[in-house]
Amino acid sequence: MSEIFINYRSDDDSYAAPLLDNHLRTVFGDENVFKDSRSIEAGTDFPPRLWSALMGSRVLLVLIGKRWLALTDASSRRRIDHPDDYVRREIEAALLAGIRVIPVLLDGAKLPRVDDLPVTVRGLTNRQAMHLRQRESEIDLPAIVNELSKWVRPIKGTTVGAHDQAAPSAARGDFRSDGVHFERGGTYIKDLHGNADVVSGDKNVYGGMP
């Protein structure tokens, strides 16, 4: 059962969810991090799987970019105002269940004001937020990991703290032991098969292991 659930909008700072998912999996393990597009297999009846994962989680990470509140549906209605919006429903369910909810503000985004949210998710504004900035991810990711490690146990052999700091690299091919390499203009993740790709930055610069 996943202990960390990532709540996000795919068209709001799309780099953040895969970056966070990949990094957290290296520390806490695949089974302890839930991101719907990765964790739910094709053909699965996804609502039961999603709600089961959420209710079994200790922490809900709500990724909030600068467009998070303003994004609309085909009828120009704010998505957050729609009762069937999954981002809204996941936050509602977590708040009601007493799951720890941590807003993660992306690239300088701010928490919505209370009056800008539906009543059922206004509790989000009372939660202490963390930050994830694309160009400062080597600082922000370890901070998020250190906070999560208070409630979720890292996988055996993983040390949170010094190990989770980004080490300087002389070349793009130099990856830390957790399969992540940071540098200005890009963040590179080595997948479970040893391949590497750009998670954020310019995909034309680097597309695989040298």
Side-chain angles (χ1 to χ4, degrees), residues 160-195:
V160 176
H163 168 81
D164 204 48
Q165 302 297 319
S169 298
R172 289 196 179 100
D174 295 334
F175 283 81
R176 292 165 23 193
S177 57
D178 65 0
V180 183
H181 169 70
F182 299 97
E183 67 176 51
R184 286 289 179 184
T187 300
Y188 307 89
I189 298 287
K190 187 187 295 182
D191 66 21
L192 300 178
H193 303 291
N195 302 312

Side-chain angles (χ1 to χ4, degrees), residues 99-148:
I99 295 168
R100 182 171 295 272
V101 176
I102 302 178
V104 180
L105 306 179
L106 309 176
D107 288 321
K110 298 184 182 302
L111 270 175
R113 297 180 304 174
V114 171
D115 293 343
D116 288 333
L117 290 173
V119 173
T120 53
V121 294
R122 287 181 178 177
L124 180 65
T125 63
N126 297 326
R127 268 54 181 184
Q128 182 69 25
M130 301 196 74
H131 296 271
L132 178 56
R133 298 159 295 178
Q134 187 169 8
R135 290 187 175 274
E136 282 77 33
S137 57
E138 69 274 20
I139 298 171
D140 296 337
L141 284 171
I144 293 170
V145 165
N146 288 337
E147 189 68 20
L148 291 175

Side-chain angles (χ1 to χ4, degrees), residues 87-101:
V87 167
R88 169 178 167 170
R89 292 177 64 192
E90 290 165 8
I91 298 169
E92 288 173 341
L95 291 171
L96 285 171
I99 295 168
R100 182 171 295 272
V101 176

